[in-house]
Amino acid sequence: MASSAMLSVASAGPSAFPANCKTSLRKTKIGSSDVRQLFGKAKGNPFLKSQCLGRVTMAVAVNVSRFEGIAMAPPDPILGVSEAFKADTNDMKLNLGVGAYRTEELQPYVLNVVKKAEKLMLERGENKEYLPIEGLAAFNKVTAELLFGADNAVIKQNRVATVQGLSGTGSLRLAAALIERYFPGAKVLISSPTWGNHKNIFNDAKVPWSEYRYYDPKTVGLDFDGMISDIRAAPDGSFILLHGCAHNPTGIDPTPEQWEKIADVIQEKNHIPFFDVAYQGFASGSLDADASSVRLFAARGLELLVAQSYSKNLGLYAERIGAINVLCSSSDAAARVKSQLKRIARPMYSNPSVHGARIVANVVGDPAIFNEWKEEMEMMAGRIKNVRQKLFDSLSAKDKSGKDWSFILKQIGMFSFTGLNKTQSDNMTNKWHVYMTKDGRISLAGLSLAKCEYLADAIIDSFHNVS
Ligand code: PLA
């Protein structure tokens, strides 16, 4: 118990206490709030006792935690939902919080190609030596090729600095540290809304950020004019964070024509595009189509950053495998950038883990397994499209109010942004046991065809009966 303290005060009369310490104690059991009161509540730190007690000679056995001043952190808005889901005992419960693919039986899925790659790794008897700081060379090669296309001039000219990261999050964090170190004061512009962790990443890296308009609640679509004018209004040379495909949480992506216009204004303002590609191949089912935004910017000769993740497209959530790629205008600059990324990584986590990197390298590096991966990705993306359609059909059939639910079909990727507000989302969880994030996002990857009607009932009730 950190809540009580035994103080033993020797040879001191009350006069030895400063004026604000009115109590004299002799072997008294007191609570932690008493300790705080006695030793200075304002500072909130019971360990200011020596200051407070002045010349008092004392033997103190303090059971109050040294961490008393640390407040309880709130649960994570996304991963905290899974914790709440686990604690619910209701049979109807549904976890649509975190974006994690489930089978139609709502079970986690390990891709066949992953199992095949792991079998190959076992047969080869690979060792567990440290990787170089920048990660596994075979992984770094294939990950940049997958992103830009193996034939892309930027690869041939060695203009991409690729460093293996701890999945998408860790790769974003490395890039944020690079920005903080080499672009002091530069701002990152992030979409409103965006994946919740983006703000944490830039805050922790001490990189200033602000938001550009993205989502228009009136149309449940893209606020393209708002987006363009906010990007234009940003200080020249800002970093513009863009979701390469399957925008999280809205599921709304710019059209190819809109991407061109975004590139125009970024170029005009000398901004640096910074892509977060967490869903390549998972949005449309095609690796190439989902990388087209990045390739369009690269084809214009722009320098840019791309954080990649294999959590979703290869189902390697817990392997923490991804990469940061910095496309530079010369191979020389790329080499220097890479050296500095390594310098950032070394004191942070030293070097990355090998298992996921070998899986990716084996899957992409073996033509037969690579083709099989594409089929599995299409299967996963297809299942999500099917539940999206069924959810729309169920909502349209059940909702007699005439509300147009077609926005659900226009969204892409594993999420649907339902437009439900926080109170309505709370109703989804409290009454219907549907776990989702409070911004109204649901992960369709956690939904089965069998549960679509139930979900439609929950959404209609929450939308119409809760304000
Ligand atoms: N970037 C975006 C846009 C994401 O949606 C996610 C994951 C990541 C990066 C990071 O994923 P990684 O570190 O596992 O590679 N977003 C999830 C999970 C799927 C999460 O919040 O961590 C989500 O539910 O939004």
Side-chain angles (χ1 to χ4, degrees):
M1 273 278 286
S3 60
S4 66
M6 182 70 84
L7 291 190
S8 170
V9 181
S11 72
S15 61
F17 289 86
N20 63 337
C21 296
K22 295 208 176 84
T23 325
S24 101
L25 292 171
R26 285 186 201 280
K27 292 218 167 179
T28 314
K29 183 119 168 113
I30 59 172
S32 62
S33 59
D34 301 315
V35 174
R36 252 180 260 126
Q37 218 177 345
L38 177 61
F39 296 124
K41 197 179 188 174
K43 298 201 175 75
N45 185 341
F47 303 98
L48 294 176
K49 55 192 173 293
S50 55
Q51 240 183 335
C52 189
L53 291 173
R55 289 181 290 103
V56 177
T57 319
M58 52 186 278
V60 184
V62 180
N63 288 330
V64 175
S65 169
R66 301 293 294 267
F67 306 101
E68 192 67 22
I70 297 180
M72 183 64 81
D76 183 82
I78 298 176
L79 299 184
V81 173
S82 301
E83 289 167 30
F85 171 80
K86 272 188 203 140
D88 188 335
T89 52
N90 190 288
D91 286 345
M92 295 307 286
K93 71 176 180 174
L94 204 49
N95 187 3
L96 308 183
V98 69
Y101 182 81
R102 296 281 179 269
T103 61
E104 180 59 27
E105 293 71 42
L106 298 183
Q107 294 307 307
Y109 179 63
V110 180
L111 276 76
N112 289 326
V113 290
V114 168
K115 292 182 191 155
K116 283 189 180 171
E118 285 179 325
K119 189 162 170 278
L120 276 177
M121 284 151 61
L122 262 183
E123 282 165 9
R124 286 180 195 152
E126 316 249 30
N127 66 45
K128 302 287 184 191
E129 290 284 293
Y130 286 131
L131 281 182
I133 303 170
E134 71 263 37
L136 186 73
F139 165 79
N140 286 347
K141 180 177 182 297
V142 299
T143 201
E145 288 178 356
L146 215 54
L147 185 63
F148 294 103
D151 296 331
N152 199 315
V154 300
I155 303 269
K156 298 206 165 110
Q157 294 159 359
N158 289 321
R159 290 203 280 120
V160 187
T162 302
V163 168
Q164 182 185 330
L166 307 188
S167 209
T169 309
S171 305
L172 288 162
R173 186 65 177 78
L174 278 181
L178 187 81
I179 293 171
E180 193 270 334
R181 192 167 289 183
Y182 291 101
F183 299 82
K187 219 182 201 189
V188 175
L189 261 80
I190 57 182
S191 61
S192 173
T194 192
W195 176 49
N197 215 18
H198 281 148
K199 293 177 184 175
N200 301 332
I201 289 169
F202 294 114
N203 282 341
D204 278 9
K206 306 206 169 6
V207 173
W209 54 267
S210 63
E211 295 180 310
Y212 60 83
R213 278 169 280 172
Y214 193 83
Y215 173 70
D216 182 354
K218 285 197 278 322
T219 59
V220 201
L222 180 63
D223 179 358
F224 184 64
D225 293 341
M227 177 182 188
I228 290 292
S229 63
D230 289 348
I231 292 175
R232 185 169 279 128
D236 285 18
S238 296
F239 289 82
I240 312 296
L241 190 75
L242 301 159
H243 298 222
C245 61
H247 182 271
N248 180 4
T250 65
I252 302 159
D253 282 353
T255 62
E257 296 72 36
Q258 287 172 331
W259 276 121
E260 294 282 1
K261 291 197 176 119
I262 295 165
D264 286 344
V265 64
I266 284 180
Q267 233 167 336
E268 178 190 312
K269 291 284 299 183
N270 217 10
H271 292 325
I272 304 175
F274 180 177
F275 284 93
D276 181 354
V277 176
Y279 301 96
Q280 190 184 354
F282 208 74
S284 66
S286 154
L287 285 163
D288 290 326
D290 290 351
S292 58
S293 57
V294 173
R295 293 180 192 177
L296 179 156
F297 280 66
R300 286 180 173 228
L302 289 170
E303 296 194 298
L304 51 85
L305 292 86
V306 191
Q308 287 173 288
S309 164
Y310 289 89
S311 292
K312 270 68 69 170
N313 55 12
L314 259 176
L316 293 177
Y317 307 90
E319 296 297 350
R320 313 309 297 144
I321 178 67
I324 180 70
N325 302 267
V326 185
L327 170 56
C328 303
S329 57
S330 71
S331 60
D332 183 53
R336 283 181 278 117
V337 167
K338 186 167 178 169
S339 74
Q340 293 297 342
L341 284 169
K342 286 164 66 176
R343 195 164 160 217
I344 290 167
R346 172 68 167 145
M348 242 191 225
Y349 55 85
S350 192
N351 47 71
S353 59
V354 73
H355 193 76
R358 280 202 185 118
I359 294 174
V360 176
N362 279 313
V363 169
V364 183
D366 180 311
I369 304 185
F370 186 43
N371 282 332
E372 206 179 324
W373 179 33
K374 290 182 189 165
E375 283 164 24
E376 275 194 288
M377 217 150 24
E378 270 176 47
M379 180 277 289
M380 291 190 290
R383 198 190 83 73
I384 294 171
K385 282 181 197 158
N386 288 345
V387 288
R388 192 182 278 288
Q389 182 67 50
K390 173 100 192 265
L391 177 63
F392 164 75
D393 292 343
S394 308
L395 283 165
S396 304
K398 284 168 180 279
D399 186 1
K400 305 296 177 208
S401 76
K403 179 176 163 57
D404 179 8
W405 293 96
S406 63
F407 65 87
I408 290 181
L409 294 181
K410 292 186 197 124
Q411 298 168 345
I412 182 167
M414 73 198 313
F415 299 112
S416 178
F417 208 47
T418 59
L420 294 174
N421 64 28
K422 185 184 171 303
T423 322
Q424 293 165 335
S425 303
D426 281 341
N427 184 66
M428 296 283 289
T429 306
N430 299 339
K431 179 170 170 188
W432 293 88
H433 305 272
V434 174
Y435 288 78
M436 58 188 283
T437 53
K438 301 296 171 212
D439 56 0
R441 184 191 88 168
I442 53 175
S443 167
L444 297 177
L447 179 64
S448 60
L449 289 172
K451 294 272 188 179
C452 281
E453 300 229 344
Y454 177 78
L455 180 63
D457 287 334
I459 292 176
I460 290 168
D461 173 53
S462 305
F463 187 79
H464 291 298
N465 302 330
V466 180
S467 60

